Amino acid sequence: MTKASDLLVQCLEAEGVEYVFGVPGEENLDFLDSLSRSSQIRLILTRHEQGAGFMAATYGRHTGKAGVCLATLGPGATNLVTAAAYATLGGMPMLMITGQKPIKKSKQGRFQILDVVDMMRPITKYTHQFASADNIPARTREAFRLAQEEKPGAGHLELPEDIAHDPTDSTPLKPSFVRRPCADVKSIAEAVRVIEAARAPILVIGAGANRTMTSRILCALIDKTGIPFLTTQLGKGVIDERHPRFLGCAALSAGDFVHAAIRKADVIVNIGHDVIEKPPFFMSADCATVIHMSFRSAEVDPVYFPQIEVVGDIANAVWQICEAITPQAQWDFAGMLAARAAEVAHRDAAIADMRCPIYPQHLVDQVRGAMPDDGIIALDNGVYKIWFARNYTAYGPNTVLLDNALATMGAGLPSAMASAMVYPGRKVMAICGDGGFMMNSQEMETAVRLGLDITVLVLNDNSYGMIRWKQANMGFADWGLTYGNPDFVAYAQSYGAHGHRVTSAGMLPDLLAHCLSTPGVHLIDCPVDYSDNDRILNNDIKALSAAL
């Protein structure tokens, strides 16, 4: 006979789990004891459950395997809610394990007790309370299966305190061999027919295309046909953006140069699109023909109702189209490429601005110059995310981690930490606003304790800059969104990290290079000047792109 918590750990080992991120509580102590005897799984103790959840989700994003996080009942479980939504909306496989009071008899009345399973139901793909130790293998296997199959997301298992130490003779279930179904050949043929008959087809690459095999085959399709492509924020980096047919990233929903390129198209091939993202284009009754290519059929929305659907494994569908399609003489991409040239010219005109506080366009250029080809930047959420999505050239998949689904603040630092654990030999930088950084800044201690090599770039404007930009755009007075910050250099040093402060634009290249090449956790306090955001993003870009 085996103790139930021992069996749960064995099930995690059978799924290939490497880490459990979390903050254990009293109700997790049997599980913690069992975990202490695992030679395969390492406990990563964090300073807040939300940080643990973001780390688990990012582990899943990189590996395709569900990252596992742990919390106690009540407040521990509620602290995982944002991370659960982050994973489910963003398509990142993750499994949460939470504790609970005994369910066979009352221990402390209703103290700390919430219906956590019901609370998790709207934001997970699967949630279950273990009521019997014998069911642990089946329920654990099901939670992993659902978390990892398309579209990936969060799962949740609740292990009550009394069930955790019950004896059982059950044993772990091995993962099954499974392949995703392929798209129907008739849908492939129709897609090929429509693309070949088009005057100016275009590819839009979304989150669902961010898979290893899909990336390689998409490159082959673009190289064969010459069809230009753009990406959503979550599709950024699927194809090397130095490719001559790259048209840009849809960082804004409308009114950017990339939307001028989309207007030139009469057929839009939307690959891996998810309506959870801000739409890269808006459909209307008289718009271009849209071909939806994804693992699932399209979710119909007032701004998205594709005329043709190719449903099945995306990589296989792209391969089938690549094999069948013939480039056409009537295809005309000149207008699209001209829009991209105009965007590059507009971008490059601002990158030499050496003002201090630092100009966002100059900062993006300096970070790109400092990062190696396989370097990873993990963006928190703020107005700087738009500048990085638009202006930072991604060279490979998952080298720009941003969240265009839940778009929560506080995820940048934990995401960078998980990235450094998955890829210890690569350079990793968290890029956070001062507001987002402070939401999980306590994880600096975790990063130092783990001996991680990461750089944390804190963009300091003493305000919630994204909302100030929106406030200005809507014509409201500048009010209610400013605050004070700690001395970030001293703050970093108090955790045992290295603190640096930017005092001029000229020092950025050497400072970034030093932080990336020197072991340990480095924080850079970088003042940033967002004063031109409203003019550029709401006026100049719209006018220039409309003129195209």
Side-chain angles (χ1 to χ4, degrees):
M1 303 292 283
T2 303
K3 187 171 78 165
S5 59
D6 287 345
L7 175 59
L8 179 54
V9 170
Q10 292 168 16
C11 290
L12 298 181
E13 290 174 337
E15 297 288 345
V17 173
E18 298 177 277
Y19 303 107
V20 171
F21 306 91
V23 180
E26 177 186 345
E27 289 71 25
N28 304 121
L29 289 177
D30 271 291
F31 178 79
L32 196 66
D33 175 66
S34 300
L35 193 60
S36 72
R37 293 189 294 275
S38 174
S39 60
Q40 175 181 319
I41 304 173
R42 181 183 175 191
L43 174 68
I44 304 299
L45 188 68
T46 62
R47 304 306 299 269
H48 194 285
E49 293 88 351
Q50 190 179 96
F54 288 147
M55 291 183 75
T58 303
Y59 175 92
R61 182 177 190 170
H62 278 301
T63 66
K65 302 187 299 181
V68 179
C69 54
L70 174 70
T72 191
L73 79 171
T78 59
N79 280 344
L80 284 177
V81 164
T82 300
Y86 172 79
T88 296
L89 270 63
M92 308 173 204
M94 179 178 82
L95 176 64
M96 299 171 287
I97 299 172
T98 61
Q100 187 53 276
K101 298 292 185 185
I103 59 174
K104 297 176 186 177
K105 62 179 180 180
S106 175
K107 178 183 177 183
Q108 295 173 317
R110 300 294 298 173
F111 177 63
Q112 287 194 311
I113 293 179
L114 294 170
D115 188 340
V116 175
V117 171
D118 217 31
M119 178 180 74
M120 292 292 186
R121 202 175 308 280
I123 52 175
T124 59
K125 298 180 70 178
Y126 181 80
T127 179
H128 178 78
Q129 180 192 74
F130 292 123
S132 166
D134 295 338
N135 288 335
I136 287 176
R139 300 307 182 189
T140 304
R141 176 82 280 273
E142 182 70 352
F144 273 93
R145 183 186 72 83
L146 290 171
Q148 292 171 175
E149 78 173 13
E150 297 292 346
K151 173 187 171 183
H156 168 247
L157 295 172
E158 182 178 81
L159 181 63
E161 192 175 359
D162 50 353
I163 302 300
H165 57 69
D166 276 357
T168 177
D169 59 0
S170 294
T171 57
L173 298 176
K174 293 181 180 180
S176 59
F177 175 82
V178 61
R179 299 286 294 172
R180 288 185 292 269
C182 296
D184 180 75
V185 292
K186 292 182 179 178
S187 67
I188 295 290
E190 179 63 9
V192 170
R193 184 191 68 79
V194 170
I195 296 168
E196 288 183 342
R199 171 185 49 79
I202 194 171
L203 306 179
V204 179
I205 299 171
N210 191 10
R211 308 291 184 269
T212 303
M213 188 60 71
T214 306
S215 176
R216 291 203 295 266
I217 298 174
L218 268 171
C219 285
L221 174 65
I222 293 165
D223 289 341
K224 177 180 178 178
T225 63
I227 299 175
F229 68 97
L230 61 108
T231 74
T232 67
Q233 291 187 40
L234 287 175
K236 190 170 177 65
V238 169
I239 298 175
D240 190 331
E241 293 174 359
R242 293 169 291 189
H243 197 289
R245 293 290 167 164
F246 175 60
L247 297 174
C249 174
L252 302 171
S253 294
D256 204 347
F257 293 98
V258 72
H259 302 105
I262 294 173
R263 289 198 302 271
K264 305 293 184 183
D266 60 341
V267 170
I268 301 171
V269 186
N270 207 12
I271 303 169
H273 175 65
D274 191 329
V275 294
I276 206 67
E277 284 205 78
K278 286 184 177 180
F281 60 89
F282 296 100
M283 291 190 68
S284 60
D286 58 349
C287 77
T289 298
V290 175
I291 301 172
H292 172 88
M293 292 180 61
S294 192
F295 303 104
R296 302 185 303 173
S297 59
E299 296 179 52
V300 175
D301 186 86
V303 298
Y304 190 64
F305 41 91
Q307 295 92 339
I308 299 168
E309 298 192 42
V310 179
V311 180
D313 181 80
I314 295 176
N316 179 269
V318 174
W319 174 79
Q320 289 190 62
I321 288 176
C322 187
E323 289 291 299
I325 200 166
T326 301
Q328 300 296 304
Q330 82 274 6
W331 288 347
D332 181 7
F333 306 124
M336 300 176 188
L337 298 174
R340 173 58 178 170
E343 178 177 17
V344 171
H346 182 265
R347 177 197 70 190
D348 290 351
I351 61 177
D353 191 312
M354 299 285 284
R355 73 180 72 176
C356 189
I358 307 301
Y359 210 41
Q361 297 94 309
H362 178 71
L363 178 69
V364 173
D365 179 68
Q366 293 301 306
V367 172
R368 178 63 279 180
M371 295 298 290
D373 285 13
D374 66 346
I376 298 169
I377 61 171
L379 293 156
D380 209 280
N381 269 279
V383 70
Y384 52 88
K385 185 180 78 170
I386 294 174
W387 289 114
F388 275 89
R390 289 184 79 254
N391 294 14
Y392 187 90
T393 305
Y395 297 163
N398 286 329
T399 57
V400 179
L401 301 185
L402 45 73
D403 169 22
N404 194 35
L406 183 65
T408 179
M409 296 169 71
L413 174 58
S415 294
M417 292 163 60
S419 299
M421 294 177 70
V422 174
Y423 299 111
R426 293 165 65 174
K427 305 299 183 184
V428 178
M429 181 183 296
I431 301 173
C432 311
D434 44 11
F437 172 71
M438 289 303 293
M439 289 188 180
N440 274 309
S441 63
Q442 71 282 346
E443 301 306 340
M444 288 284 287
E445 188 280 327
T446 309
V448 171
R449 173 166 31 93
L450 294 175
L452 300 180
D453 296 330
I454 60 170
T455 299
V456 184
L457 179 61
V458 179
L459 308 184
N460 189 345
D461 70 334
N462 292 287
S463 71
Y464 293 118
M466 172 73 88
I467 311 306
R468 287 184 84 187
W469 168 54
K470 296 285 187 180
Q471 192 176 54
N473 185 37
M474 296 174 71
F476 293 118
D478 183 5
W479 187 84
L481 296 168
T482 59
Y483 45 71
N485 279 315
D487 180 334
F488 284 123
V489 172
Y491 186 69
Q493 291 170 344
S494 72
Y495 285 122
H498 307 280
H500 312 270
R501 181 171 289 111
V502 174
T503 56
S504 71
M507 69 184 293
L508 270 174
D510 289 344
L511 178 57
L512 291 170
H514 168 76
C515 293
L516 289 167
S517 63
T518 306
V521 179
H522 293 261
L523 182 146
I524 301 173
D525 179 1
C526 181
V528 64
D529 182 356
Y530 288 142
S531 60
D532 287 344
N533 279 358
D534 185 52
R535 174 181 62 81
I536 296 172
L537 296 176
N538 291 326
N539 298 301
D540 294 0
I541 287 173
K542 288 182 179 179
L544 291 168
S545 61
L548 294 171

